[in-house]
Amino acid sequence: MPLHSLLDDTFTAADELNSVNKFKSFLDPEILEQAFEYSGVATVRRRRLPLDAVMWSVIGMSLFRNEPVWDIASKLDISLPGKNKLVAPSALVQARQRLGDEAVGRVFHMMAERTFQQEAFEQWCGLNLLAVDGVMFRAQDTQDNLTEFGCERNNHGDVVYPQIRMCSLMETSSHMLLASEFDSRQVGEMTLAQRLLSSVPDNSLTLFDKGYYSLGLLHKWRQKGEQTHWMLPARKDLQYSIKHQLNENDAIVVLKSTPQARNKFEDLPEMIEARLTSYQLDGKTYRVLSSMTDTLRYPYDDVVDVYTQRWEIEVGFREMKQGLHQAKLTLRSKKPEMVRQELWGLLLAYNLVRLVMLDAVKHTPDVAPTRLSFSLCMRQVVTFFISATIRSASKLPEHYEYLLETLRMLELPNKRPDRSYPRVVKGLPRKYPKKKNASQLN
């Protein structure tokens, strides 16, 4: 159900509702209750900072990245009435500890699953386009985080900031996150990708980076459900035999698995059929490997064009780091459980903004949700959340409709087809500044 309908149903009366009640239209109370019970944190005691208010404080840590953590609850006005209008910092710390990280992660997954079931996303050849990729986050330099997440070491053997590795599953036409898994930096992306299998929907095509080439993983992905296809760039040293040559640039091939892979994946057969497609772009030949062996349903021209959508997940990660977190590289929390809670809150905040952007373009089919400026839309959504604390509940649907009208005006200009973004390797940092020549000294 769209947010606008929920607002209409929720706020038909009662101007006395506080901000927690107003925000319930964005996070379904049923989802919150199920998540609290599932994680074992539900309680009948009514505190000044109830669990649903703490949930909004965790989300607010990403929406209000420049604000102190203890001030977010006061800014959103989500605490129940008490002697003092402001929330004590210690009260919020204790409230976050009561909530934990499992409940926030459960809310994220339940909300993402419901959104995917209710929204009509753009499809390719009858399939939803998904993408999988990994990203790293940096945690506070504390001994607990260092022990839990691990870190890299520089050339002198000195440790640097603890790092968390995340792997996410994203719907490319809307940038909505469907699932995410994260762990210490020692856990590889392949392992995290396997944990995403339970969230893969039927009738979907998942686009991988070439680093995810594993016949065991790809076979499990294809067997996960009905028409759960995959695609990734073919390695230069790919070993295969041609079963059927479709044309000079397209063939059905047979890939042979290794004994080591079959020991790791029990149901992995010795041979797997796949489709190897090659094409030329700017005089350079590219090859993609996929599970879409039905050439009638998935024509060559369509298969050649679709892999460019994989870069949408890179844009999504940039929106999270550059937009929500405003290029602040290090997370706030100093304890591992709170780090995980903060990351789940970041993903929830990102999906909430994306959900509002979906609502904004729902009745304008000519505008895709990814063509709206995420950073500008995020600022408007944050402003709406702040002003919701001082608006009457009965007027909130009207203000929400005005928010959607504002977002529709934030459309980005058309992409330049001739613009190039070549990948470059960053140079190593230098201990001393670069020496200037004589002409630069004058």
Side-chain angles (χ1 to χ4, degrees), residues 60-196:
M61 290 173 63
S62 293
L63 293 176
F64 304 93
R65 190 63 176 85
N66 289 325
E67 299 294 333
V69 176
W70 59 268
D71 192 40
I72 294 175
S74 302
K75 181 177 290 291
L76 290 175
D77 190 25
I78 54 180
S79 59
L80 297 181
K83 295 181 180 179
N84 298 320
K85 293 183 178 180
L86 300 179
V87 178
S90 59
L92 185 58
V93 172
Q94 296 173 5
R96 288 186 61 196
Q97 292 173 349
R98 290 198 313 270
L99 179 63
D101 63 289
E102 187 179 4
V104 187
R106 185 69 175 175
V107 170
F108 165 77
H109 283 109
M110 293 178 66
M111 175 184 170
E113 181 180 0
R114 177 175 295 188
T115 301
F116 186 79
Q117 293 174 351
Q118 294 179 349
E119 298 290 337
F121 296 103
E122 182 180 345
Q123 293 188 334
W124 173 86
C125 293
L127 303 177
N128 288 108
L129 284 182
L130 314 176
V132 167
D133 205 358
V135 66
M136 300 289 288
F137 287 91
R138 197 167 76 178
Q140 292 285 335
D141 189 11
T142 64
Q143 187 58 47
D144 290 338
N145 287 341
L146 189 63
T147 303
E148 180 74 14
F149 302 118
C151 68
E152 292 182 350
R153 295 181 180 270
N154 59 21
N155 295 334
H156 304 286
D158 299 327
V159 298
V160 295
Y161 280 88
Q163 292 180 316
I164 304 98
R165 191 186 307 276
M166 176 185 290
C167 190
S168 299
L169 179 67
M170 177 180 287
E171 201 282 327
T172 60
S173 69
S174 64
H175 289 187
M176 286 287 298
L177 292 173
L178 303 186
S180 190
E181 295 289 339
F182 46 84
D183 212 318
S184 66
R185 68 173 304 275
Q186 286 81 9
V187 179
E189 291 185 19
M190 303 284 283
T191 302
L192 296 177
Q194 293 181 41
R195 300 179 189 175
L196 297 174

Side-chain angles (χ1 to χ4, degrees), residues 312-344:
E312 297 296 331
I313 192 171
E314 304 280 5
V315 178
F317 288 151
R318 184 187 66 186
E319 292 166 345
M320 276 186 265
K321 287 192 168 185
Q322 302 282 342
L324 279 176
H325 272 197
Q326 301 182 24
K328 291 180 172 59
L329 302 179
T330 308
L331 301 173
R332 307 185 192 213
S333 304
K334 298 181 179 181
K335 297 289 185 180
E337 184 182 16
M338 297 298 98
V339 170
R340 290 188 286 266
Q341 183 192 80
E342 183 179 349
L343 278 175
W344 287 124

Side-chain angles (χ1 to χ4, degrees), residues 154-387:
N154 59 21
N155 295 334
H156 304 286
D158 299 327
V159 298
V160 295
Y161 280 88
Q163 292 180 316
I164 304 98
R165 191 186 307 276
M166 176 185 290
C167 190
S168 299
L169 179 67
M170 177 180 287
E171 201 282 327
T172 60
S173 69
S174 64
H175 289 187
M176 286 287 298
L177 292 173
L178 303 186
S180 190
E181 295 289 339
F182 46 84
D183 212 318
S184 66
R185 68 173 304 275
Q186 286 81 9
V187 179
E189 291 185 19
M190 303 284 283
T191 302
L192 296 177
Q194 293 181 41
R195 300 179 189 175
L196 297 174
L197 276 167
S198 59
S199 302
V200 180
D202 293 338
N203 301 309
S204 62
L205 169 61
T206 305
L207 308 174
F208 292 95
D209 191 6
K210 63 181 178 181
Y212 287 88
Y213 180 78
S214 165
L215 291 183
L217 172 64
L218 299 178
H219 176 70
K220 292 184 69 173
W221 208 276
R222 181 66 185 89
Q223 300 299 317
K224 164 60 177 62
E226 182 180 353
Q227 300 295 326
T228 50
H229 291 286
W230 52 264
M231 175 183 284
L232 77 171
R235 299 166 52 179
K236 292 182 179 179
D237 59 347
L238 180 67
Q239 301 294 321
Y240 63 91
S241 58
I242 298 178
K243 180 180 180 180
H244 180 54
Q245 190 74 43
L246 303 174
N247 57 54
E248 61 179 355
N249 296 320
D250 208 5
I252 305 299
V253 300
V254 176
L255 307 173
K256 185 177 180 180
S257 61
T258 63
Q260 294 82 357
R262 291 194 294 272
N263 289 335
K264 186 176 181 180
F265 299 91
E266 297 179 355
D267 57 343
L268 178 62
E270 292 187 12
M271 303 290 182
I272 293 179
E273 288 189 9
R275 183 177 180 180
L276 183 62
T277 307
S278 61
Y279 59 96
Q280 287 193 347
L281 183 63
D282 297 332
K284 188 175 181 180
T285 301
Y286 298 89
R287 301 187 305 170
V288 290
L289 193 66
S290 69
S291 61
M292 298 177 293
T293 56
D294 188 346
T295 57
L296 295 179
R297 184 172 181 178
Y298 311 110
Y300 171 81
D301 292 338
D302 292 339
V303 172
V304 165
D305 295 334
V306 70
Y307 188 74
T308 57
Q309 297 298 314
R310 194 201 74 81
W311 300 107
E312 297 296 331
I313 192 171
E314 304 280 5
V315 178
F317 288 151
R318 184 187 66 186
E319 292 166 345
M320 276 186 265
K321 287 192 168 185
Q322 302 282 342
L324 279 176
H325 272 197
Q326 301 182 24
K328 291 180 172 59
L329 302 179
T330 308
L331 301 173
R332 307 185 192 213
S333 304
K334 298 181 179 181
K335 297 289 185 180
E337 184 182 16
M338 297 298 98
V339 170
R340 290 188 286 266
Q341 183 192 80
E342 183 179 349
L343 278 175
W344 287 124
L346 166 64
L347 301 179
L348 262 174
Y350 177 79
N351 268 3
L352 278 173
V353 176
R354 276 289 166 195
L355 192 55
V356 177
M357 295 171 68
L358 272 175
D359 267 1
V361 300
K362 186 162 295 183
H363 301 295
T364 54
D366 296 336
V367 180
T370 55
R371 298 309 302 152
L372 300 180
S373 171
F374 178 83
S375 59
L376 296 180
C377 290
M378 180 200 69
R379 295 173 189 174
Q380 294 295 329
V381 172
V382 170
T383 302
F384 176 81
F385 282 148
I386 295 177
S387 59

